[in-house]
Amino acid sequence: MSEYAEKIRGIAKKLLDDGTVDMVIGFRKGTMPLINEPCFVKDAAKVDALIWDSSCGVNLANYLPKRKEKIGVVAKGCDSRNIVTHIVENQITREQLYIIGVPCTGMVDRRKVRLAVGKEILSVSEADGKITVTGDGYEEVLDKQEMLQDNCAICVHRNPVISDEVIADPVEEQTDVDRYADVKAVEAMAPEARWNHFEQLLDGCIRCYACRNACPLCYCPTCFVDESQPQWVGKSVDKTDTRTFHFLRAYHCAGRCTDCGACERACPVGIPVRQFTKKLEKDCKELFDWEAGMSLDVRPPLDTYRPEDPDEFIK
């Protein structure tokens, strides 16, 4: 991955030196292992701060809506699809962006690594598909594939769908994964079991809104949960209000979600909130043959109306 970082630095320096962009958004080393941070570089002399490894999970498209500068942005496959969505939704223009595409082999789930090691982690390195974790008096080598975030393990769009420059050859796309196995399992449940499943799933939610804040799709100036006139949702952790928040947020993401995993990565109590958005992602695929963020030239299904649109689900 160090060669990726060198290429990103080289491209960023060139873009800033020749004035192609005012700023490059990438990643820098985090203050804690397994959590790298977004990095905004405006001075070509500071591009050495930019890095790349399997802890660059934050979706950098989150920092693009309504910006006025010319921006260079580092983009994985899912990031690039969210950039497409932002352009289609008029949050930024294509002309403002120089997209530095990064073929991605998946981001590491820090919770899985911590669970596998069971000790305090002081540093992490990676090479040849292995993650080497070190701490006080120990070193452990883990298989990266087994430590991937759940969304990365089933990702079928690892290469950027839009870019101005790609830093490496495309990686092989996965074709032997069932992207919706967990959704199908829930769909197969009886109504009462399904209700209990979601009750248990949301039981630990503290309504911190970390999932919303991390989501590149949640850029509304005022979120419905923050409205007071009218007040759509109560401010407490009442179960009805918690359900309302999650269900409405999922529908707000319908036809727009790229399954980047930002919501689950941000959740402090580990709720698999992607189960909601993935259900709607699956419905959009089955009903409209639609995947979010794949094209600048096609409007999303919930943004258009066609007389032949499927309507059998309306009761």
Side-chain angles (χ1 to χ4, degrees), residues 29 43 131 210-211 250 255 257:
K29 196 74 174 173
D43 183 344
I131 305 291
C211 53
C257 179

PDB file of all heavy atoms in Angstrom, residues 29 43 131 210-211 250 255 257:
ATOM      1  N   LYS A  29      -2.580   9.682   8.740  1.00  0.00           N
ATOM      2  CA  LYS A  29      -2.529   8.693   9.812  1.00  0.00           C
ATOM      3  C   LYS A  29      -3.384   9.158  10.982  1.00  0.00           C
ATOM      4  O   LYS A  29      -3.297  10.307  11.422  1.00  0.00           O
ATOM      5  CB  LYS A  29      -1.081   8.512  10.272  1.00  0.00           C
ATOM      6  CG  LYS A  29      -0.839   7.275  11.096  1.00  0.00           C
ATOM      7  CD  LYS A  29      -0.859   6.033  10.239  1.00  0.00           C
ATOM      8  CE  LYS A  29      -0.480   4.792  11.029  1.00  0.00           C
ATOM      9  NZ  LYS A  29      -0.666   3.567  10.213  1.00  0.00           N
ATOM     10  N   ASP A  43      -1.503  23.021   0.576  1.00  0.00           N
ATOM     11  CA  ASP A  43      -0.138  23.433   0.305  1.00  0.00           C
ATOM     12  C   ASP A  43       0.642  22.223  -0.227  1.00  0.00           C
ATOM     13  O   ASP A  43       0.712  21.181   0.440  1.00  0.00           O
ATOM     14  CB  ASP A  43       0.497  23.943   1.606  1.00  0.00           C
ATOM     15  CG  ASP A  43       1.898  24.470   1.411  1.00  0.00           C
ATOM     16  OD1 ASP A  43       2.509  24.176   0.370  1.00  0.00           O
ATOM     17  OD2 ASP A  43       2.389  25.166   2.317  1.00  0.00           O
ATOM     18  N   ILE A 131      -2.490  -8.693   7.826  1.00  0.00           N
ATOM     19  CA  ILE A 131      -2.485  -7.575   8.757  1.00  0.00           C
ATOM     20  C   ILE A 131      -1.626  -7.979   9.952  1.00  0.00           C
ATOM     21  O   ILE A 131      -1.909  -8.990  10.610  1.00  0.00           O
ATOM     22  CB  ILE A 131      -3.910  -7.245   9.251  1.00  0.00           C
ATOM     23  CG1 ILE A 131      -4.862  -6.987   8.074  1.00  0.00           C
ATOM     24  CG2 ILE A 131      -3.895  -6.060  10.213  1.00  0.00           C
ATOM     25  CD1 ILE A 131      -4.588  -5.741   7.311  1.00  0.00           C
ATOM     26  N   ALA A 210     -24.751   9.274  14.947  1.00  0.00           N
ATOM     27  CA  ALA A 210     -23.447   9.089  14.303  1.00  0.00           C
ATOM     28  C   ALA A 210     -23.619   8.497  12.911  1.00  0.00           C
ATOM     29  O   ALA A 210     -22.884   8.850  11.981  1.00  0.00           O
ATOM     30  CB  ALA A 210     -22.562   8.188  15.154  1.00  0.00           C
ATOM     31  N   CYS A 211     -24.594   7.579  12.744  1.00  0.00           N
ATOM     32  CA  CYS A 211     -24.840   6.969  11.434  1.00  0.00           C
ATOM     33  C   CYS A 211     -25.249   8.022  10.423  1.00  0.00           C
ATOM     34  O   CYS A 211     -24.778   8.027   9.273  1.00  0.00           O
ATOM     35  CB  CYS A 211     -25.903   5.876  11.547  1.00  0.00           C
ATOM     36  SG  CYS A 211     -27.449   6.379  12.341  1.00  0.00           S
ATOM     37  N   ALA A 250     -33.650   5.318   6.363  1.00  0.00           N
ATOM     38  CA  ALA A 250     -33.423   4.304   5.334  1.00  0.00           C
ATOM     39  C   ALA A 250     -34.173   4.656   4.051  1.00  0.00           C
ATOM     40  O   ALA A 250     -33.620   4.559   2.944  1.00  0.00           O
ATOM     41  CB  ALA A 250     -33.856   2.928   5.848  1.00  0.00           C
ATOM     42  N   GLY A 255     -32.443   4.084  -3.196  1.00  0.00           N
ATOM     43  CA  GLY A 255     -31.995   4.413  -4.545  1.00  0.00           C
ATOM     44  C   GLY A 255     -30.783   5.319  -4.571  1.00  0.00           C
ATOM     45  O   GLY A 255     -30.336   5.725  -5.648  1.00  0.00           O
ATOM     46  N   CYS A 257     -28.205   4.900  -1.748  1.00  0.00           N
ATOM     47  CA  CYS A 257     -27.173   4.280  -0.918  1.00  0.00           C
ATOM     48  C   CYS A 257     -26.251   3.407  -1.777  1.00  0.00           C
ATOM     49  O   CYS A 257     -26.708   2.610  -2.596  1.00  0.00           O
ATOM     50  CB  CYS A 257     -27.823   3.437   0.169  1.00  0.00           C
ATOM     51  SG  CYS A 257     -26.620   2.597   1.232  1.00  0.00           S
TER      52      CYS A 257
END
